[in-house]
Amino acid sequence: MSVAGHPLSALAEAIGARWIARHGDPRIMHLSIDSRKSFAPEDTLFIAMRGARHNGHQYLAELHAKGMRAFVVSEPVDPAALPGSSILHVADTLDALQRMAAWHRNHFRTPVVGITGSNGKTVVKEWLFHLLRDTEHIVRSPGSWNSQVGVPLSIWAMRAEHGLGIFEAGISEPGEMQRLRSVIRPTIGIFTNLGPAHAERFSGAAHKAGEKALLFDQAEAVVHCADHEEVVRALHERGIDQRARMLGWSRQREGWLHVLREEAHGVGQRIRVANQEVEFDFEIPFADAASAENALHCVTLLLHLGLPAEHIAARTPGLPPVSMRLETVDGIHGMTLLNDAYSNDTASLAIALEHLDALAAGRPKAVVISDLVGGEDRAERYARVEELLERSAVAKVLTVGPELMGHEMSFAGTVGHFSDAEELVRAVEPHVLADHAVLVKGARAFGLERIVQRWQRQAHGTVLEIDLEAIRHNLNHYRAMLRPGTRVMAMVKAFGYGGGALELARLFAHEQVHYLGVAYADEGIELRQQGIDLPILVMNPEPVPVDVLHRFRLEAEVYDERSLVEAIRFARDHADAPPVHIKLDTGMRRLGFAQEELPRLLELLRDARGLQVASLLSHLAASEDPRHDEFTRRQIADFAAMADAVTGVLGYRPLRHIANTAAVSRWPEAHLDMVRLGIGLHGIGASESETQSLRHAATLRTVIAQIKPTDDGTTIGYGRSGTSHGRRVIATVPLGYADGLSRRLGNGVGHLWVSGRKAPIVGHVCMDMCMIDVTGIACDIGDAAVLFDPVHPITETAAALGTIPYEVLTSIPQRVKRLYVRA
């Protein structure tokens, strides 16, 4: 693509589109599929995607009102409703997007690396960027854009000045990779590994490996681990090993690159590798096996590209923790900080600004940004930066570094230029950013993490990390099971299941769920005061004056005669009274009108002038348990009968909802008009197989505060309950029962994970700390100790306690800092 873009007429021919309306021939620079995101109307083409949960055609008029004038559609559209617009019609807009990207890809002879596998795709891609950015002008997938939609949008960013492309491709069912292959057309492939993700859509591991290997049918070389038998077999069965150069690395001396030695040291590893031309050591700052595997993929590719061993060994010690990207942190003065302080280029800035838009939720936005890295022309690079910042309506811009000093950025209300991060910290009083959403975006060399450290709300070293991308993935997993039109209520009660109600509510608002559910009115009031506008259902029986609910536009659950009579009384006196939700008890025996109370309920509703009933709901008692399926089936039937009776009296049909997380997958007949999602959003499914398709969202981690050796017979902790058997090494960490670590996990019942290894809890758990046995584990003061994370999921902690994950999550108090990431 030239700087001027592609003419719309050329794109129309490439995808075989029919013109519905034509006004000129705009040159298209940008593609959009999301009506919520900012755009440049003069050179953006909106592609109206249609899926099980969304339909972009519903937003055409809204986009037209904002200035959009170029559209691709697959449904009938009246051009008179979009005056002045160019409109293309195709049979399938997803196919059109992919064909458009494939056509665009064909304009370039740039080498392209295509990465697939079950795990590690994003890490390998980001590490390759880190290792090669000084030598190549690279275009790469933003974030984890590896889907049927994400891949073509990533490819669209390719331009003639790029010297290398790096794109990842993920699939969840057969047939998908064939479409992605034509879009990416990799010249070099990387097959990271093969794991259990999405296994249910394939007949077995061999089937899945074969589907993934399709990406490399036309590749010239393929990097892989030669010790992974299923990967090697798949490449052979497709004949790829006959057409392409096989760049396998192996610990068994069977590949192109041999791993001779791996040694842990402190918190990192030293790895020695050799092939026919070179033998050398390199170091990585991570001790786990997965990081070693990811690094070996990268090193193998760099050797293939001809980079000298000295270049590689000089750069691998600085490999960044990819999870550091896009962390959301509570700041002082009401700020919310979005920390992306390890890399800076225009591609990653664009994706970070999209996350800032979602995070802001109507609040003013500010950006702290360093000089950029990359091979683009400097003037073009910073012109692009200004374009992105202006399009995102950033109110305040603070720059760090000499290159940005001369840029006025007249669109922003406040612009400040600083030579380095320390000067900025000294000069800027953080109260000037009060109540802002602040993106901190910089190349690692500028040390902008110091700004985050200075401006964040201070807390002790124990952190509950919530992966917002995992929650979004889980939301979409359940949405995919619903009929079109079925609504979603996201439960954010109990401090968002421990994850923080406000940030989750902002995420769900951005993802356009229909309702939020809270337990108590004060939870809903806090969300309203923080700018959350979604409808909020208050489900708890705590008596709250209806006028308070009215003032904050909260909708109450009524479940007995007292609460219903109070709602009716208020509605008679207030024309704008909030609607109510009537709870029906079909077998939970907790709250709601039971069968025997139905006549009285109907009697009250017959004389309920002015009362608006938004929904009828009930609660399934055991939807996750096959042993109680007959009871669940009876609950669903009873609810339908009771809801029909209420509807007959009201004269209109309110929404109906009875399905919780487990019922979404197990009871499709219970989906009705809306479903209520709770623990499933955090990665806990109704069964082990369903949980495999979800992503665990929570990580509870702390840091080692002290390490000391103990002799045989030394007692440890309160009551001398722990005893050192032989010479041991004991670490103390600031995680205690006041942080949600149950005392039941003491004395060896539970453990933490340090450097990927179990460290049993020694003695009783104290209020603010505990002691763990780190004998034989390479660790130091300040290293992480993890109670649960996606690799060691919360279900294991719950099982050790003999309880459920709900209890573990909700027992973590607010004194533990919440850290929000988008991995």
Side-chain angles (χ1 to χ4, degrees):
M1 177 172 57
S2 69
V3 173
H6 290 303
L8 182 58
S9 58
L11 295 176
E13 182 178 352
I15 63 177
R18 175 176 62 86
W19 291 91
I20 295 178
R22 185 169 183 174
H23 290 269
D25 193 13
R27 301 185 74 84
I28 302 301
M29 283 286 293
H30 307 289
L31 302 181
S32 174
I33 63 167
D34 190 337
S35 63
R36 301 166 298 185
K37 294 180 179 177
S38 56
F39 59 87
E42 67 278 3
D43 58 13
T44 300
L45 174 64
F46 181 76
I47 303 174
M49 308 293 288
R50 182 170 185 170
R53 306 177 302 276
H54 60 267
N55 186 348
H57 298 83
Q58 298 174 352
Y59 304 99
L60 300 182
E62 174 187 328
L63 287 163
H64 183 270
K66 294 178 180 178
M68 187 78 76
R69 292 296 182 269
F71 303 89
V72 177
V73 301
S74 60
E75 295 182 1
V77 172
D78 180 4
L82 305 172
S85 297
S86 296
I87 308 171
L88 301 174
H89 185 275
V90 296
D92 182 340
T93 47
L94 173 59
D95 178 67
L97 171 64
Q98 293 173 339
R99 291 169 64 187
M100 196 180 300
W103 177 81
H104 175 71
R105 165 71 178 91
N106 286 339
H107 285 69
F108 308 105
R109 297 295 175 261
T110 307
V112 168
V113 179
I115 308 172
T116 193
S118 296
N119 302 104
K121 297 183 292 293
T122 301
V123 173
V124 170
K125 179 201 66 187
E126 293 300 318
W127 283 3
L128 286 173
F129 174 76
H130 174 85
L131 295 166
L132 289 166
R133 67 186 183 188
D134 294 338
T135 60
E136 296 284 357
H137 186 185
I138 298 171
V139 58
R140 72 193 194 281
S141 308
S144 299
W145 286 20
N146 56 33
S147 68
Q148 297 290 303
V149 172
V151 167
L153 291 176
S154 300
I155 291 290
W156 183 259
M158 288 185 73
R159 298 202 299 265
E161 59 267 30
H162 289 126
L164 180 68
I166 309 175
F167 303 100
E168 50 181 297
I171 61 173
S172 57
E173 59 184 47
E176 290 184 333
M177 189 61 84
Q178 194 159 355
R179 303 180 75 168
L180 297 184
R181 179 188 62 198
S182 66
V183 177
I184 300 175
R185 286 183 47 228
T187 55
I188 303 171
I190 299 180
F191 200 140
T192 60
N193 52 46
L194 195 68
H198 305 297
E200 69 280 358
R201 308 285 177 87
F202 300 91
S203 61
H207 182 202
K208 183 165 66 169
E211 288 288 326
K212 289 180 179 293
L214 280 169
L215 178 62
F216 310 127
D217 269 4
Q218 298 173 349
E220 299 167 4
V222 179
V223 173
H224 63 287
C225 176
D227 303 332
H228 291 175
E229 295 181 3
E230 291 286 3
V231 171
V232 173
R233 186 179 301 114
L235 295 173
H236 175 70
E237 290 179 352
R238 291 209 58 78
I240 296 170
D241 59 355
Q242 302 300 311
R243 300 187 296 272
R245 189 179 187 188
M246 292 292 99
L247 304 174
W249 60 266
S250 171
R251 295 182 171 93
Q252 301 172 15
R253 302 194 175 218
E254 295 179 357
W256 181 78
L257 182 70
H258 302 153
V259 181
L260 303 180
R261 186 169 60 249
E262 296 172 89
E263 298 176 346
H265 61 91
V267 294
Q269 298 178 66
R270 180 180 293 107
I271 302 173
R272 188 167 188 81
V273 295
N275 62 13
Q276 292 181 348
E277 299 176 358
V278 67
E279 180 174 333
F280 68 102
D281 292 335
F282 67 90
E283 296 188 7
I284 61 173
F286 306 97
D288 60 290
S291 293
E293 182 172 289
N294 292 333
L296 284 162
H297 289 315
C298 295
V299 168
T300 302
L301 177 62
L302 266 58
L303 289 171
H304 170 69
L305 293 176
L307 273 75
E310 297 78 14
H311 175 101
I312 299 170
R315 284 160 177 76
T316 55
L319 288 173
V322 173
S323 61
M324 182 178 172
R325 297 195 64 235
L326 293 172
E327 297 175 343
T328 303
V329 182
D330 287 336
I332 56 179
H333 301 294
M335 282 190 283
T336 304
L337 304 172
L338 186 60
N339 179 19
D340 193 5
Y342 99 89
S343 71
N344 202 15
D345 58 273
T346 53
S348 65
L349 175 62
I351 195 68
L353 287 170
E354 290 182 1
H355 288 302
L356 182 67
D357 286 339
L359 178 67
R363 294 177 295 162
K365 290 175 283 188
V367 172
V368 179
I369 184 171
S370 78
D371 290 349
L372 272 67
V373 298
E376 294 167 288
D377 174 77
R378 182 181 297 184
E380 179 183 342
R381 183 191 313 164
Y382 291 113
R384 174 65 172 154
V385 169
E386 292 192 41
E387 175 194 347
L388 291 169
L389 293 174
E390 183 173 12
R391 186 187 303 175
S392 293
V394 174
K396 294 181 174 68
V397 179
L398 305 175
T399 75
V400 175
E403 293 185 0
L404 277 165
M405 278 283 188
H407 288 263
E408 295 299 325
M409 302 189 187
S410 58
F411 62 87
T414 300
V415 179
H417 299 291
F418 305 91
S419 59
D420 57 33
E422 286 302 323
E423 182 187 356
L424 187 154
V425 168
R426 290 194 303 269
V428 177
E429 292 292 337
H431 66 78
V432 303
L433 298 173
D435 300 317
H436 281 60
V438 182
L439 169 65
V440 180
K441 183 82 173 87
R444 170 155 279 184
F446 290 91
L448 298 195
E449 64 271 11
R450 285 172 285 177
I451 298 170
V452 176
Q453 292 165 1
R454 196 72 60 89
W455 289 354
Q456 71 180 355
R457 183 172 59 83
Q458 298 303 315
H460 69 73
T462 299
V463 170
L464 179 64
E465 184 178 286
I466 305 297
D467 183 349
L468 297 179
E469 280 301 303
I471 291 178
R472 188 176 70 85
H473 166 89
N474 298 337
L475 171 64
N476 288 334
H477 168 84
Y478 288 108
R479 276 178 160 170
M481 301 181 189
L482 305 177
R483 298 187 309 273
T486 301
R487 306 184 185 197
V488 171
M489 178 184 293
M491 305 305 298
V492 293
K493 62 181 181 176
F495 196 52
Y497 285 67
L502 178 58
E503 293 304 329
L504 297 187
R506 286 173 176 156
L507 171 68
F508 295 139
H510 184 70
E511 295 299 322
Q512 299 183 338
V513 303
H514 301 87
Y515 262 91
L516 299 176
V518 299
Y520 294 102
D522 58 357
E523 295 175 318
I525 291 170
E526 174 68 17
L527 294 179
R528 286 283 183 254
Q529 290 173 332
Q530 295 294 334
I532 301 300
D533 288 327
L534 283 176
I536 298 175
L537 170 59
V538 179
M539 306 186 76
N540 199 74
E542 178 187 50
V544 175
V546 182
D547 65 303
V548 173
L549 301 173
H550 177 226
R551 192 182 319 141
F552 290 98
R553 296 180 291 112
L554 303 176
E555 302 174 18
E557 176 187 292
V558 297
Y559 52 88
D560 63 3
E561 183 171 342
R562 179 200 58 80
S563 57
L564 179 57
V565 168
E566 176 67 11
I568 292 172
R569 180 199 61 76
F570 191 85
R572 285 173 178 163
D573 298 333
H574 299 80
D576 59 346
V580 300
H581 301 253
I582 297 178
K583 182 71 169 285
L584 304 174
D585 184 1
T586 57
M588 184 75 169
R589 297 304 175 195
R590 189 171 66 179
L591 288 177
F593 292 91
Q595 287 269 14
E596 60 271 19
E597 297 171 308
L598 184 60
R600 177 58 177 160
L601 169 62
L602 300 179
E603 180 183 345
L604 290 169
L605 291 175
R606 288 189 182 98
D607 191 29
R609 297 190 311 276
L611 182 73
Q612 286 296 310
V613 179
S615 80
L616 306 172
L617 68 149
S618 189
H619 202 112
L620 295 174
S623 59
E624 75 286 355
D625 194 338
R627 295 173 301 171
H628 302 294
D629 281 357
E630 185 53 41
F631 184 85
T632 300
R633 194 171 290 110
R634 192 161 62 248
Q635 275 195 276
I636 296 169
D638 289 347
F639 176 63
M642 294 175 73
D644 285 346
V646 173
T647 300
V649 169
L650 291 175
Y652 59 90
R653 190 183 190 282
L655 296 174
R656 300 183 184 189
H657 50 109
I658 191 174
N660 54 7
T661 296
V664 173
S665 55
R666 296 200 68 240
W667 296 96
E669 62 267 41
H671 291 178
L672 306 179
D673 301 309
M674 185 160 63
V675 299
R676 303 189 299 269
L677 295 178
I679 195 66
L681 293 169
H682 299 265
I684 312 299
S687 64
E688 182 61 33
S689 61
E690 180 174 77
T691 299
Q692 289 290 331
S693 299
L694 301 172
R695 289 171 56 182
H696 287 279
T699 296
L700 181 59
R701 56 180 168 82
T702 186
V703 294
I704 295 175
Q706 187 177 32
I707 298 175
K708 58 179 65 175
T710 62
D711 293 326
D712 184 40
T714 302
T715 59
I716 299 160
Y718 282 122
R720 305 182 67 194
S721 56
T723 302
S724 180
H725 299 289
R727 188 167 175 81
R728 314 299 294 172
V729 179
I730 303 299
T732 300
V733 299
L735 177 65
Y737 58 78
D739 304 301
L741 180 67
S742 173
R743 292 187 82 244
R744 288 175 285 169
L745 292 175
N747 296 298
V749 174
H751 56 267
L752 275 63
W753 294 90
V754 176
S755 298
R757 296 177 60 185
K758 282 185 180 181
I761 297 173
V762 181
H764 292 316
V765 174
C766 309
M767 178 182 288
D768 304 303
M769 60 192 74
C770 69
M771 286 70 75
I772 56 177
D773 188 341
V774 294
T775 305
I777 301 176
C779 60
D780 204 345
I781 293 172
D783 288 354
V786 174
L787 180 62
F788 54 78
D789 63 8
V791 178
H792 314 102
I794 192 172
T795 47
E796 295 178 2
T797 304
L801 287 167
T803 186
I804 56 177
Y806 297 74
E807 181 181 342
V808 178
L809 273 177
T810 57
S811 66
I812 301 169
Q814 294 190 36
R815 85 170 193 170
V816 174
K817 182 173 72 173
R818 269 62 176 175
L819 181 65
Y820 302 93
V821 303
R822 296 174 186 267

